[in-house]
DNA sequence: AGCCATTATATGGCTAGCAATCTATCTAGG
DNA sequence: CCTAGATAGATTGCTAGCCATATAATGGCT
């Protein structure tokens, strides 16, 4: 089996698979913590943005979270139905939709404060490890986002091979 | 804003969000590489298992990939329709379904060999960095999987291999 | 043999995610 | 003005992912 430890198609040698698995598992872990608030994980991410600054446009949310607006439009509609946010056309530019938290959405923040603690306990990694991990993944995200943006824009783009 | 850099609800301080974003971006990156083979990313992961060993049961795939069988059943049916795999009841135990690659599914492996290389270029991290990253995420996955299993069983259910 | 708890997979109903396409609005150039 | 291109969101159609539940087969116990 000299080959199997180098085999690039071996599941155990994949880099992306652990990221994929961790993300699925994390969402499962978040689910019961967020259910009492009535939010899913993606909706929680949207609230994190709105608690920092509002109103924001759909496009701004999309570029913060690296999500497509085919994903966001229905997601935001569900959040509006749930009474967490309002959506309204920007009077300055009717193409834009401004998203802002409702009073109920703002209050949720207090309940949300315990979530990062609860989670940190279950992740059970040391703070240093977590920081290292976050840093490497953040830099990966930047690489990937740049790469994908380049691919999208590049009419005259370098096609690298 | 002395507070904002400690604020546990600040998007930039989240650990899980970068994992989530990286996973979405990676799937977008994989999509055009896998499309010529007719596979999605999850289907590719299933093929990685089947190229290593076959036949396997649905449950074994689920515990390798940390996926639920409510996810796998329809996914495997699509792969069967696509001609990549066969699904058949185990004659020894009719509850089980054995999954194995078709000849076409086996041949795909040759084309798949270039995918990890293509990807490595675009991820553009040094090998050392990648190893570090993989190791931390793998250990995170173990923590999370154990944690979730413990919550599910409640009493002593020995499992795993 | 017959029943019961367990195990393996399947189904239904929901949310999410993406690519491709469409619609409405805005901005420039004439 | 008015039309051409660009921009912001919405829509469509697909795959994937989860939970809760249902069905079917197995094994043990009496």
């Amino acid at each position: 089996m000299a080959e199997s430890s180098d085999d690039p198609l071996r599941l155990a040698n994949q880099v992306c698979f652990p990221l994929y698995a961790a993300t699925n598992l994390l969402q499962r872990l978040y689910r019961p913590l967020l259910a009492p608030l009535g939010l899913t994980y993606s909706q929680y991410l949207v609230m994190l943005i709105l608690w920092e600054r509002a109103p924001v446009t759909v496009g701004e949310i999309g570029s913060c979270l690296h999500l497509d607006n085919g994903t966001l439009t229905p997601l935001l509609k569900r959040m509006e139905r749930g009474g967490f946010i309002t959506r309204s056309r920007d009077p300055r530019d009717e193409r834009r939709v401004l998203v802002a938290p409702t009073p109920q959405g703002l209050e949720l923040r207090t309940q949300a404060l315990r979530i990062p603690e609860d989670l940190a306990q279950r992740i059970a990694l040391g703070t240093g490890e977590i920081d290292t991990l976050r840093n490497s993944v953040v830099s990966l995200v930047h690489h990937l986002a740049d790469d994908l943006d380049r691919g999208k824009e590049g009419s005259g783009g370098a096609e690298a091979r």
Side-chain angles (χ1 to χ4, degrees), chain A residues 100-119:
Chain A
T102 59
Q104 181 193 340
L106 277 176
E107 261 190 51
L108 226 52
R109 191 177 191 281
T110 330
Q111 297 176 57
L113 274 166
R114 50 175 58 237
I115 290 181
E117 299 173 40
D118 277 4
L119 215 82

Side-chain angles (χ1 to χ4, degrees), chain A residues 11 38 41 43-44 70 75 79 81 115 127 140 144:
Chain A
L11 189 60
Y41 183 64
Q43 294 174 4
Y44 170 68
L75 185 137
M79 294 180 74
R81 257 193 281 121
I115 290 181
T127 316
L140 175 60
L144 293 174

Side-chain angles (χ1 to χ4, degrees), chain A residues 85-137:
Chain A
I85 63 168
T86 59
R87 300 186 321 131
S88 53
R89 290 282 167 182
D90 183 346
R92 308 271 168 233
D93 182 345
E94 293 275 346
R95 289 172 302 182
R96 300 185 179 196
V97 168
L98 297 176
V99 180
T102 59
Q104 181 193 340
L106 277 176
E107 261 190 51
L108 226 52
R109 191 177 191 281
T110 330
Q111 297 176 57
L113 274 166
R114 50 175 58 237
I115 290 181
E117 299 173 40
D118 277 4
L119 215 82
Q121 281 191 321
R122 306 196 69 173
I123 287 184
L125 291 180
T127 316
E129 273 180 292
I130 288 191
D131 284 345
T132 310
L133 174 59
R134 187 180 46 234
N135 292 337
S136 14
V137 184

Side-chain angles (χ1 to χ4, degrees), chain A residues 31-101:
Chain A
R31 195 180 308 273
L33 301 179
L34 290 170
L37 315 199
L39 295 174
T40 64
Y41 183 64
S42 329
Q43 294 174 4
Y44 170 68
L45 293 177
V46 171
M47 291 312 296
L48 290 182
I49 295 177
L50 296 181
W51 289 328
E52 283 185 36
R53 121 183 114 97
V56 290
T57 67
V58 173
E60 285 167 336
I61 297 176
S63 62
C64 285
L65 301 185
H66 304 284
L67 289 175
D68 176 291
N69 58 23
T71 301
L72 284 172
T73 296
L75 185 137
L76 294 171
K77 282 186 177 174
R78 283 187 289 272
M79 294 180 74
E80 186 181 35
R81 257 193 281 121
F84 303 113
I85 63 168
T86 59
R87 300 186 321 131
S88 53
R89 290 282 167 182
D90 183 346
R92 308 271 168 233
D93 182 345
E94 293 275 346
R95 289 172 302 182
R96 300 185 179 196
V97 168
L98 297 176
V99 180

Side-chain angles (χ1 to χ4, degrees), chain A residues 15-16 19 134-146:
Chain A
V15 197
C16 305
L19 288 165
R134 187 180 46 234
N135 292 337
S136 14
V137 184
V138 165
S139 95
L140 175 60
V141 168
H142 289 154
H143 275 299
L144 293 174
D146 288 353

